[in-house]
Amino acid sequence: QKEVEQNSGPLSVPEGAIASLNCTYSDRGSQSFFWYRQYSGKSPELIMFIYSNGDKEDGRFTAQLNKASQYVSLLIRDSQPSDSATYLCAVNWGDYKLSFGAGTTVTVRA
Amino acid sequence: DGGITQSPKYLFRKEGQNVTLSCEQNLNHDAMYWYRQDPGQGLRLIYYSQIVNDFQKGDIAEGYSVSREKKESFPLTVTSAQKNPTAFYLCASSIRGGAMDEQFFGPGTRLTVL
């Protein structure tokens, strides 16, 4: 059974701080990794994707991938109240399907 | 204005009824997907289609059926065999369904069984 695990929330951070989200996956053959943001009652929207070991930065967001440890993370720098949402980690196993974690809810307090 | 549309936004079903959820995309994407999301949980794959007239079961296909007669349309039928259908249903599409392809999501349909 291929599994995607995310650190349990909710995660509460003060405005301006760094929010750190973690995700582990069970299959070493996984090819690509996606972070989606989902506001309450809305559909997911892509924040970042990564497929090579190391860091990938896009604005205030940084994704980090360590395939040896089967670990992918998302850092949100200078957190804003608008970042308050549930963040979903998704893994593509190479068979055209995504498997999603349960999500981590982030609350940024002003 | 390209995107994915789902209808209806809210749907109420009586027990024993079949209902069909609509999903249309004008992104010219080959691959389309249906997911189910329950409160506090991630998305679970119901069915997916990589090309017209072909589709495969996902992880939780029992009690659901789909068709893919046109590239832009991928309707989902929730049958009476689905014992706990109350959930948020999301349709998605991607260019080719490849490992590096982003999946774009529609706004979702919230189904409630009365």
Side-chain angles (χ1 to χ4, degrees):
Chain A
Q1 179 82 8
K2 296 176 179 177
E3 294 184 347
V4 180
E5 301 282 346
Q6 294 187 242
N7 51 329
S8 59
L11 177 65
S12 180
V13 298
E15 186 173 355
I18 295 175
S20 178
L21 307 173
N22 301 321
C23 175
T24 58
Y25 55 94
S26 61
D27 189 338
R28 287 185 175 271
S30 304
Q31 294 195 5
S32 53
F33 308 85
F34 300 80
W35 282 101
Y36 283 85
R37 177 176 63 198
Q38 186 176 26
Y39 292 113
S40 180
K42 303 297 184 181
S43 58
E45 55 180 338
L46 185 70
I47 298 295
M48 298 277 293
F49 77 92
I50 187 168
Y51 51 86
S52 298
N53 277 326
D55 295 358
K56 180 180 179 181
E57 186 174 317
D58 184 0
R60 296 185 295 109
F61 298 94
T62 299
Q64 299 174 318
L65 176 61
N66 184 326
K67 289 189 175 181
S69 299
Q70 295 173 230
Y71 172 97
V72 58
S73 66
L74 180 70
L75 299 177
I76 307 173
R77 292 184 304 280
D78 187 24
S79 296
Q80 301 297 310
S82 59
D83 295 326
S84 297
T86 297
Y87 290 81
L88 301 170
C89 172
V91 177
N92 188 300
W93 311 109
D95 58 357
Y96 307 104
K97 300 185 294 184
L98 286 182
S99 291
F100 285 81
T104 300
T105 298
V106 173
T107 300
V108 180
R109 53 185 194 274
Chain B
D1 189 21
I4 303 174
T5 57
Q6 290 186 243
S7 62
K9 185 174 182 179
Y10 298 97
L11 184 58
F12 298 90
R13 190 194 92 170
K14 294 181 179 179
E15 286 196 20
Q17 283 183 334
N18 292 355
V19 291
T20 297
L21 282 57
S22 169
C23 177
E24 304 277 332
Q25 55 98 359
N26 61 3
L27 300 168
N28 200 31
H29 286 176
D30 287 331
M32 297 187 74
Y33 309 80
W34 273 106
Y35 294 92
R36 167 183 173 141
Q37 187 175 33
D38 294 283
Q41 297 189 32
L43 281 61
R44 292 185 289 168
L45 183 65
I46 304 172
Y47 268 98
Y48 66 103
S49 168
Q50 292 176 257
I51 197 169
V52 174
N53 291 324
D54 188 44
F55 49 83
Q56 287 79 40
K57 293 181 179 180
D59 301 319
I60 55 165
E62 184 175 353
Y64 300 96
S65 65
V66 293
S67 62
R68 187 85 188 276
E69 298 177 0
K70 299 186 294 183
K71 186 175 184 177
E72 59 270 23
S73 179
F74 191 40
L76 173 74
T77 296
V78 184
T79 75
S80 57
Q82 170 49 237
K83 297 306 178 188
N84 186 22
T86 295
F88 187 40
Y89 290 87
L90 289 157
C91 178
S93 70
S94 66
I95 292 176
R96 287 172 299 278
M100 310 301 180
D101 293 340
E102 173 186 356
Q103 290 189 17
F104 295 84
F105 287 85
T109 292
R110 199 165 295 277
L111 172 63
T112 302
V113 173
L114 302 174

